[in-house]
Amino acid sequence: MQEKHLFEYAVIRVVPRVEREEFMNVGVVVYCSKEKFLGVLINLNTEKLGMFCNDLDLDVIEGNLCAFERICEGAEQGGTIGKLDMASRFRWLTATRSTVLQTSRAHAGLCTDAKETLLKLYNQMVL
């Protein structure tokens, strides 16, 4: 039997009108310390998002979602946050915000493969 590892995840959401608290799931970020894994999968369905709100600046949203990817990778392009350790990057990405781009609360679970778990959560929560 494979050993199970603790992981944490949060769902990335676009909240077009923060005051209405309506949102669309656009991605998932997963962190597993034991596997040294921090990954994100994103799918911005602009047609569906247009049903919520048709006056969003999609270039800004796409740019911010790309920043999630760069920060998860720990890339130089991730700026100061991208240089932090994985746990700190995950905490920064999942910090509570009142903006158009938000994450759910972080949730925990057990997995045998964090990358596989990321794909499973992405399929369940986003697609």
Side-chain angles (χ1 to χ4, degrees):
M1 186 168 141
Q2 291 183 341
E3 182 182 357
K4 293 197 173 198
H5 308 292
L6 179 67
F7 75 94
E8 296 174 79
Y9 78 94
V11 179
I12 304 166
R13 303 169 170 163
V14 173
V15 187
R17 298 221 187 324
V18 177
E19 67 278 5
R20 290 177 57 167
E21 297 183 9
E22 297 172 336
F23 61 85
M24 185 177 92
N25 293 345
V26 297
V28 177
V29 57
V30 169
Y31 168 63
C32 180
S33 174
K34 190 79 168 182
E35 291 187 29
K36 295 179 174 62
F37 178 84
L38 177 60
V40 64
L41 288 174
I42 295 169
N43 177 32
L44 181 61
N45 183 333
T46 55
E47 185 177 326
K48 185 177 174 183
L49 187 57
M51 292 179 202
F52 277 95
C53 182
N54 59 7
D55 62 350
L56 288 174
D57 188 338
L58 295 178
D59 290 335
V60 171
I61 292 172
E62 288 171 348
N64 289 335
L65 290 171
C66 286
F68 262 79
E69 294 170 334
R70 290 190 305 269
I71 289 168
C72 281
E73 292 169 2
E76 188 71 28
Q77 309 90 296
T80 304
I81 305 303
K83 295 176 186 174
L84 298 173
D85 62 89
M86 279 187 191
S88 297
R89 294 193 319 260
F90 178 76
R91 300 285 172 255
W92 189 88
L93 290 169
T94 59
T96 303
R97 294 176 175 80
S98 295
T99 62
V100 173
L101 193 60
Q102 301 178 13
T103 61
S104 68
R105 291 179 304 129
H107 304 279
L110 296 172
C111 71
T112 55
D113 182 325
K115 194 172 191 174
E116 184 179 296
T117 300
L118 172 61
L119 186 58
K120 180 181 172 186
L121 288 168
Y122 174 75
N123 286 324
Q124 287 176 346
M125 305 289 193
V126 179
L127 297 183

